[in-house]
Amino acid sequence: MAHPVRRGVQLETLAVRGLSFQLYRWPGSEPPSIVLLHGWGDSGATWQFMVDHLPQRRTLLAFDARGFGRTQWVQDGYWFPDYLADLDALLERVSPDTPVDLVGHSMGGNVAMLYAGIRPQRVRRLVSLEGFGLTRTTADMAPARYRQWLDELVQGIEFLTYDSFAQFAQVLGRRHPRISADRLDFICRSWGKKRADGRIELRADPRHKLVNPVLYQREQAQACWREIVAPLLLVAGDRSEFARLVPEEFNEQQLATGFRSARVASIAGAGHMLQHEQPQAVAELVESFLR
């Protein structure tokens, strides 16, 4: 069963920083855009579920990050600061004179929060869905991390392929049982494409799976977060598998202390992919905050 789309999307391409980016625009009567940043492995297209439950007057814009979806792949690997530079350049093209509202999920939420601290004048309001940084690392982890990175470069790394979109949806449904069948089909057709041999492969560069040889520094992220001046909403799923892995970092009290001012909210019956699982509840929460 096909997912019933309520709001039509306009597809555009934009050349930025030497790459061709896929943009998705849901036009409304209010010109200040809400810019949506997807998570790792996702696509701007799947914001459709949440967009369908937002008021028609809202203008929303999403794009596929470099090497994901229908945006061009790069030749020399993927480095997190490039996501910040891409966002900075894209905003200069789509909203050069007006601050935007940023809504990001997971990786996109982390990009949004860092950017809002680095370029506070460019962000009017900020929502991070399950994007609260990563776990802390220590210097003694560096040798093993570099070894792993070198090994993966030599061995190569690939994504799985599938016999059909139906098989892909079954696999994804086992991982995310709270996503409805129609939305699973929409996600699979946004994330995947049919090869010449009939198998389904992901629209993503496998090099995204390479481990980052540079250890994550949570203290640096927090220093950027403290520079955020936009009103901030942090949203978690109450069944989030991500939050359960490191409860000492991802609890309401701990999160609230890392920012000048932040509101923390939870979505009932949702895991990490909360905008796919409970899009109406997420949309209502986001709209309430933006309003």
Side-chain angles (χ1 to χ4, degrees):
M1 181 178 64
H3 174 72
V5 172
R6 300 181 185 181
R7 289 188 65 177
V9 63
Q10 297 176 355
L11 302 181
E12 308 169 26
T13 56
L14 194 62
V16 174
R17 302 188 66 226
L19 297 177
S20 177
F21 281 80
Q22 175 69 65
L23 273 66
Y24 307 84
R25 188 187 300 273
W26 294 269
S29 57
E30 294 184 354
S33 293
I34 301 171
V35 177
L36 308 170
L37 307 179
H38 68 75
W40 191 94
D42 203 348
S43 162
T46 66
W47 285 108
Q48 182 73 54
F49 312 138
M50 187 187 80
V51 169
D52 281 341
H53 293 285
L54 289 170
Q56 292 281 340
R57 71 180 189 279
R58 295 290 192 190
T59 297
L60 300 107
L61 179 71
F63 62 90
D64 292 339
R66 56 173 54 212
F68 288 117
R70 293 170 171 82
T71 286
Q72 189 175 346
W73 296 9
V74 301
Q75 299 302 313
D76 54 355
Y78 297 90
W79 305 99
F80 199 88
D82 277 317
Y83 298 127
L84 299 170
D86 292 343
L87 177 59
D88 197 47
L90 283 159
L91 292 184
E92 282 299 312
R93 297 287 295 276
V94 302
S95 186
D97 304 315
T98 307
V100 300
D101 297 332
L102 281 184
V103 180
H105 170 249
S106 194
M107 181 188 82
N110 286 305
V111 172
M113 291 203 301
L114 288 173
Y115 185 79
I118 297 164
R119 292 270 200 247
Q121 75 280 8
R122 300 293 285 121
V123 181
R124 185 172 63 170
R125 290 168 297 197
L126 175 61
V127 180
S128 183
L129 308 173
E130 288 273 323
F132 316 129
L134 302 177
T135 54
R136 298 177 190 274
T137 60
T138 56
D140 62 308
M141 299 167 65
R145 178 66 65 84
Y146 280 118
R147 278 193 291 270
Q148 181 182 354
W149 178 65
L150 290 173
D151 290 343
E152 289 181 356
L153 286 176
V154 172
Q155 297 164 2
I157 197 161
E158 296 292 337
F159 285 120
L160 294 175
T161 62
Y162 304 91
D163 294 336
S164 63
F165 282 113
Q167 185 196 38
F168 187 11
Q170 288 176 350
V171 172
L172 194 63
R174 287 195 294 270
R175 191 179 309 161
H176 303 288
R178 291 179 292 272
I179 302 178
S180 65
D182 61 309
R183 291 198 292 268
L184 283 171
D185 180 72
F186 185 101
I187 292 166
C188 290
R189 294 180 187 277
S190 298
W191 291 4
K193 63 179 179 179
K194 185 176 288 189
R195 301 192 314 199
D197 63 1
R199 292 190 64 77
I200 306 303
E201 66 178 5
L202 296 183
R203 295 180 181 273
D205 189 338
R207 287 176 299 170
H208 281 297
K209 291 184 68 176
L210 284 171
V211 69
N212 191 337
V214 180
L215 294 174
Y216 176 76
Q217 299 296 319
R218 189 172 179 87
E219 293 78 9
Q220 292 181 11
Q222 289 175 323
C224 294
W225 298 346
R226 285 191 290 270
E227 298 293 315
I228 297 172
V229 298
L232 169 61
L233 174 65
L234 301 169
V235 186
D238 71 346
R239 301 184 186 181
S240 173
E241 56 276 31
F242 182 64
R244 286 199 301 269
L245 293 175
V246 276
E248 69 281 2
E249 297 284 5
F250 306 113
N251 60 74
E252 185 168 338
Q253 182 178 5
Q254 180 69 18
L255 289 172
T257 59
F259 305 90
R260 292 186 182 184
S261 177
R263 174 185 166 194
V264 180
S266 179
I267 297 293
H272 183 61
M273 304 300 287
L274 68 179
Q275 83 282 15
H276 293 169
E277 298 174 5
Q278 299 289 346
Q280 182 173 352
V282 174
E284 290 173 353
L285 183 62
V286 169
E287 172 61 20
S288 175
F289 175 73
L290 296 181
R291 189 172 60 238

